Amino acid sequence: MAFSNHDDEVLSEMNVTPLVDVMLVLLVVFIVTAPLLTNAIPLKLPRTHAVAPPDQHKPVVVSVDRDGKYYIDRRQLSLEALGAAISQAHQQDEQRVVQLRADQDVVYGRVARAMAVIQQAGVTRLAVITEGEG
């Protein structure tokens, strides 16, 4: 809208209301669609090309076989004993990495339980081991 103090002076102002309306609509669209983009991705694991660099400390190898049995360095343990053994190894060397190896046919809940036990033992360095392609 233009106002004039005198007949030959015109003040012009830019109307930003449509710009604000468009920006708010875009914000709502992004807020609604962003969570939908992160879920429901079909995956088939665990083959990779990535190779981890060698570590200086001898890792603790935790394995979960196809039947859901837990092992540390080829020694079969219960889930509770697994937690105690990992905690003891972590107290001896806090820089030690725990490597988790799981059969691709094992129920995912078993792997999740092993990861929870490893986390409860205070381990912050966990490597999930996969088989290379080819």
Side-chain angles (χ1 to χ4, degrees):
M1 187 167 231
F3 294 98
S4 160
N5 292 343
H6 304 292
D7 290 334
D8 52 350
E9 287 183 35
V10 176
L11 296 174
S12 61
E13 296 178 12
M14 182 176 189
N15 189 2
V16 295
T17 305
L19 177 66
V20 172
D21 289 345
V22 169
M23 295 305 288
L24 289 175
V25 168
L26 286 174
L27 179 65
V28 169
V29 167
F30 287 132
I31 288 172
V32 170
T33 59
L36 300 175
L37 299 175
T38 59
N39 295 335
I41 300 172
L43 299 174
K44 183 169 181 171
L45 296 175
R47 294 195 173 272
T48 64
H49 287 288
V51 178
D55 195 17
Q56 300 297 339
H57 304 276
K58 183 177 183 273
V60 176
V61 179
V62 175
S63 302
V64 183
D65 69 0
R66 133 183 298 185
D67 298 326
K69 298 176 187 164
Y70 301 102
Y71 298 85
I72 286 188
D73 297 328
R74 299 181 182 171
R75 221 181 29 189
Q76 184 178 350
L77 298 172
S78 67
L79 193 59
E80 295 79 20
L82 178 75
I86 292 172
S87 180
Q88 180 183 11
H90 181 67
Q91 288 174 356
Q92 292 173 356
D93 183 6
E94 291 185 3
Q95 296 300 317
R96 185 177 287 181
V97 175
V98 174
Q99 293 181 346
L100 179 60
R101 300 176 64 231
D103 191 281
Q104 76 177 15
D105 295 330
V106 73
V107 176
Y108 186 72
R110 298 280 187 168
V111 178
R113 284 188 208 110
M115 291 175 77
V117 165
I118 292 168
Q119 182 182 17
Q120 289 171 354
V123 173
T124 57
R125 300 181 70 197
L126 174 66
V128 178
I129 305 301
T130 59
E131 185 177 285
E133 291 181 308

